[in-house]
Amino acid sequence: MVIRRLLSRALLAIAVVAVPLGVTVAPALTEPAHAATCPGQTLDIPPTAGTPNMSYPFGIAVDASGHIYVADGSTNTIYKYDSTGHQTMTIPSTAATPNLGDPLGLALDSSDNIYVVSRDNGDVVKFNSSGHQVMEIPPTAGTPNMSEPVGLAVDSHGNIYVGDEGTNTVYKFNATGHQTMAIPSTAATPNLNDPDGVGVDAAGNIYVGNAFPGSVVKFDSSGTQVMNIPSTAGTPNLSDPEGVAIDALGNIYVGTQGGAVYQFDSTGHQNWVLQSTAATPNFEAPVGVALDASANLYIADKYNSNVYAFCTGVVLPTTTTTTVSGSTTTTAAAAQAVSTEPAFTG
């Protein structure tokens, strides 16, 4: 595992050095024209904000109150921060049985229960909001057995989705930990290879960051592939996508080991890319991505050990409820999608 991380860092460094002179780099995150107050980067949580210091933050999630949860694969710790970046809780390795080993993917449910995959143990662990373990899904709960789970998502019904790079399979478990579906490598074209990032939308569609082909694959709720975003759909090309999140408009956010975070619309068209220089300090491997209720984007960078927040400028749909003479009417406001035209570069 350590060798893999060092090799990945070395390859990333080589790739950066090898960019020839004269290559035009795509613009950084751009603010849509309708969001004049969008400030770009809004938060930086440095390694020293964590006790113990963050070292390899990978999985990230945000609850309805703006609290930020981070899984660190090096310290074997889950951190919780308030909306200003102040640490309020840690869940150490010993809080789990068996102990957490390389906790990577992380997700929350609507009750702020915390789910994390332990890659070394091949299991999924659920903690309540106070950090007490309440469930474990062992490797043998998966068919085939889970081997190296990395990606994780939880839907509004409490179903749990796991991307396993050892078996190249995406598993679905119900809220009690019983497997209800498996998507094998061969269900995707190209085949799944290291499905490290997993996201799910409100309709139950499953999005998978397929690390080695550099693609993002979308499956419907029955596990049938319905879309593939290839490496070449990104500018620059997608490189080792390891984090996926989806907003209420169907926009897809992809965190990569290649030093960039992308936003694609629901058809797979790239809207913007957030690159190294958009963050302070610069991105190295911004693999973890999560969204809050206002579509603000949170990023975990596993190599520079920082956590960031950015304003995306996405305006999500809202609802208005009116009651007249005992009759209630709910009206959905029109949603505004992200613009592809820059108003500023971050």
Side-chain angles (χ1 to χ4, degrees):
M1 178 181 64
V2 173
I3 294 174
R4 174 180 172 138
R5 290 180 189 163
L6 292 175
L7 179 60
S8 296
R9 185 191 284 266
L11 291 173
L12 179 61
I14 292 169
V16 170
V17 171
V19 174
L21 293 176
V23 169
T24 301
V25 178
L29 175 66
T30 57
E31 178 189 18
H34 65 266
T37 60
C38 191
Q41 183 177 334
T42 58
L43 183 70
D44 171 24
I45 304 177
T48 53
T51 303
N53 289 0
M54 283 192 295
S55 177
Y56 193 83
F58 190 99
I60 188 168
V62 187
D63 67 22
S65 300
H67 299 120
I68 305 159
Y69 302 76
V70 181
D72 190 302
S74 180
T75 63
N76 295 325
T77 301
I78 299 168
Y79 301 87
K80 179 181 178 181
Y81 300 92
D82 65 20
S83 59
T84 67
H86 176 73
Q87 180 179 312
T88 59
M89 183 175 73
T90 59
I91 303 176
S93 171
T94 53
T97 304
N99 291 358
L100 290 178
D102 204 10
L104 296 179
L106 183 145
L108 303 174
D109 64 20
S110 58
S111 299
D112 293 341
N113 295 303
I114 306 161
Y115 301 75
V116 64
V117 294
S118 180
R119 182 165 67 173
D120 285 354
N121 298 330
D123 62 355
V124 179
V125 186
K126 177 182 177 181
F127 300 92
N128 64 18
S129 58
S130 299
H132 299 292
Q133 180 178 329
V134 294
M135 185 174 72
E136 183 215 357
I137 303 176
T140 53
T143 303
N145 289 0
M146 287 189 290
S147 173
E148 293 183 68
V150 176
L152 184 65
V154 178
D155 68 21
S156 59
H157 301 289
N159 296 305
I160 304 158
Y161 303 79
V162 181
D164 189 298
E165 65 179 21
T167 62
N168 292 322
T169 300
V170 177
Y171 302 85
K172 179 181 178 181
F173 300 93
N174 65 15
T176 64
H178 176 74
Q179 181 180 319
T180 58
M181 184 173 68
I183 303 175
S185 168
T186 52
T189 304
N191 290 359
L192 292 178
N193 191 350
D194 275 14
D196 288 347
V198 179
V200 61
D201 65 21
N205 297 303
I206 306 160
Y207 302 75
V208 181
N210 204 15
F212 282 148
S215 63
V216 177
V217 186
K218 178 181 177 181
F219 300 92
D220 65 19
S221 58
S222 67
T224 301
Q225 181 179 326
V226 293
M227 184 172 70
N228 176 58
I229 303 175
S231 170
T232 52
T235 304
N237 288 0
L238 286 174
S239 176
D240 203 352
E242 296 186 354
V244 181
I246 303 93
D247 69 26
L249 299 179
N251 295 309
I252 306 161
Y253 302 77
V254 183
T256 73
Q257 189 169 280
V261 176
Y262 302 79
Q263 191 211 60
F264 298 92
D265 67 19
S266 60
T267 68
H269 174 77
Q270 181 179 317
N271 286 332
W272 48 250
V273 60
L274 176 59
Q275 292 186 276
S276 174
T277 54
T280 303
N282 290 357
F283 288 145
E284 289 189 54
V287 295
V289 289
L291 299 162
D292 67 15
S294 300
N296 294 303
L297 176 64
Y298 295 78
I299 298 169
D301 190 312
K302 67 181 183 181
Y303 285 162
N304 73 17
S305 307
N306 282 63
V307 171
Y308 307 94
F310 286 84
C311 172
T312 64
V314 172
V315 179
L316 297 177
T318 58
T319 57
T320 302
T321 301
T322 306
T323 302
V324 179
S325 301
S327 177
T328 301
T329 302
T330 300
T331 304
Q336 293 176 280
V338 132
S339 167
T340 58
E341 295 298 323
F344 84 114
T345 56

